[in-house]
Amino acid sequence: MNIAVFASGRGSNFCAIARAAKKNDLAGARISLLVCDNPRALVIRRAKEFKIKTLLALREDFYDKASFEHAIIQRLKADNIDLVVLAGFMRMLSADFVKTFRQRIMNIHPALLPAFKGSTAIRDAFIYGSKATGVTVHFVDALMDHGPIILQEAVKIGRKDTLPVLEEKIHKLEHKLYPEAIRLFAKGKLSVRGRKVLALTR
Ligand code: GRF
């Protein structure tokens, strides 16, 4: 099973997934392609280290969002991509894109959705004074940080936790949950009924 990881930044989730694939821990799935929209992203270097091909897709090279996404879709089809994995990709995918890969796009979010959507979720939960937050892996629909939840796990926010401590806890959990969700998908164990992901045995 071929995965395309979409990322714009650091790439710690990319590495966790690539490492799991290398250890044969993804039920036969492997990252075949990195799609990156930021030429300065650290994840590009990570992909080189793992000898994984990168498609650098720059939005400014295209007339509009539709042609930008069309070029990406063409490449995903040419590379026989079965699953799109969003890992810190800082762009919303259009409804058309989502339809093309219906229930074959996953995202990871560093909070317990539907709480704390958006790009500053860890900080937002911390500043809000939540006693717990967590990580959500979900299928992607056309809305932001939205779609049927695959895996979700909570993290306690201790009285003495600082923001960096909480960030570390969240990322550690992400690196466990994302490979786990991909493994379930690769084993054909995820089926979506309406808003719910069923037939889940971990
Ligand atoms: C992660 O916290 C993920 O939950 C969010 O973006 C961040 C990406 O981090 N969607 P990294 O680039 O994988 O290190």
Side-chain angles (χ1 to χ4, degrees):
M1 204 195 75
N2 294 319
I3 301 171
V5 175
F6 285 35
S8 308
R10 190 174 58 148
S12 70
N13 282 284
F14 174 91
C15 289
I17 298 163
R19 251 182 255 122
K22 224 173 158 181
K23 280 195 292 177
N24 232 336
D25 223 7
L26 291 186
R30 62 178 195 115
I31 306 179
S32 309
L33 184 67
L34 166 69
V35 177
C36 182
D37 64 340
N38 170 12
R40 287 171 299 280
L42 184 59
V43 70
I44 296 174
R45 220 185 306 154
R46 311 273 212 194
K48 270 197 194 119
E49 285 160 13
F50 281 98
K51 300 190 170 47
I52 292 169
K53 288 178 292 177
T54 296
L55 169 64
L56 186 59
L58 304 181
R59 172 64 185 84
E60 58 267 31
D61 288 346
F62 295 86
Y63 169 68
D64 57 12
K65 184 178 171 115
S67 49
F68 169 70
E69 288 192 345
H70 179 74
I72 296 175
I73 289 171
Q74 291 306 103
R75 176 64 185 269
L76 299 181
K77 288 187 172 163
D79 284 13
N80 295 314
I81 297 300
D82 303 292
L83 176 68
V84 170
V85 168
L86 306 182
F89 189 61
M90 300 310 283
R91 244 168 232 289
M92 281 287 294
L93 298 173
S94 71
D96 279 344
F97 191 113
V98 171
K99 219 187 277 169
T100 308
F101 283 86
R102 207 177 113 69
Q103 277 151 23
R104 290 191 294 141
I105 310 174
M106 284 183 187
N107 182 43
I108 191 161
H109 185 72
L112 296 176
L113 290 175
F116 301 113
K117 294 179 179 172
S119 62
T120 53
I122 306 177
R123 168 184 289 271
D124 292 348
F126 183 80
I127 289 172
Y128 193 85
S130 295
K131 303 295 181 207
T133 181
V135 172
T136 306
V137 181
H138 63 98
F139 282 118
V140 168
D141 63 19
L143 303 177
M144 189 184 70
D145 297 329
H146 193 268
I149 291 173
I150 300 166
L151 295 176
Q152 193 167 50
E153 215 169 295
V155 165
K156 277 194 180 159
I157 306 178
R159 239 173 0 108
K160 290 186 180 155
D161 281 354
T162 58
L163 181 57
V165 166
L166 177 60
E167 283 169 343
E168 205 182 312
K169 283 189 196 172
I170 293 279
H171 293 309
K172 197 170 165 210
L173 179 57
E174 287 186 329
H175 302 160
K176 175 178 86 93
L177 284 192
Y178 225 175
E180 200 170 326
I182 293 167
R183 191 160 53 239
L184 288 170
F185 183 92
K187 286 183 173 171
K189 292 203 169 171
L190 303 180
S191 68
V192 183
R193 295 278 175 280
R195 286 219 40 81
K196 294 210 166 123
V197 178
L198 302 176
L200 230 161
T201 37
R202 290 175 79 163

